[in-house]
Amino acid sequence: MAKNAVVEITLDPELHAEFLAAAKAENRAAGEIVSDLVRDYVEQQHVSPEYASFLESKVAVARQSIAAGKGRPNEAVEATFAALRNKIENGGL
């Protein structure tokens, strides 16, 4: 297997110019940045199913809580945290 593979992409000329300028400003090769982006994307794909499952279970628990009358209106939650932020800003906590 070859050490590197070549991937051809099409970019808008303006985006391409901005990308190359940003890469040059960081003293990095454009290919290195693209490789990092692809690597990050592939890693996200491995994490995403686990996260989606976690999120679905959290939503199910929250819905059960609301159905059981244990939920709090958003306004009440916002008021609680506004009071906490105010307390922190004024040297409390």
Side-chain angles (χ1 to χ4, degrees):
M1 187 167 166
K3 183 175 180 182
N4 292 312
V6 176
V7 176
E8 185 176 320
I9 61 171
T10 303
L11 297 174
D12 174 273
E14 185 177 311
L15 177 60
H16 181 252
E18 288 180 24
F19 172 62
L20 292 178
K24 184 177 181 180
E26 290 188 349
N27 289 329
R28 293 184 65 197
E32 177 186 351
I33 295 169
V34 172
S35 291
D36 288 347
L37 291 169
V38 170
R39 191 174 297 106
D40 289 347
Y41 177 78
V42 170
E43 287 176 11
Q44 281 181 345
Q45 299 314 302
H46 294 294
V47 174
S48 292
E50 294 169 357
Y51 179 72
S53 176
F54 166 77
L55 190 57
E56 287 174 16
S57 68
K58 295 290 283 183
V59 169
V61 168
R63 287 182 174 153
Q64 290 171 351
S65 177
I66 290 170
K70 297 179 183 176
R72 292 180 62 203
N74 184 58
E75 295 78 18
V77 174
E78 290 292 336
T80 298
F81 282 94
L84 287 171
R85 283 190 299 273
N86 186 39
K87 194 172 188 177
I88 290 169
E89 290 170 359
N90 293 314
L93 281 190

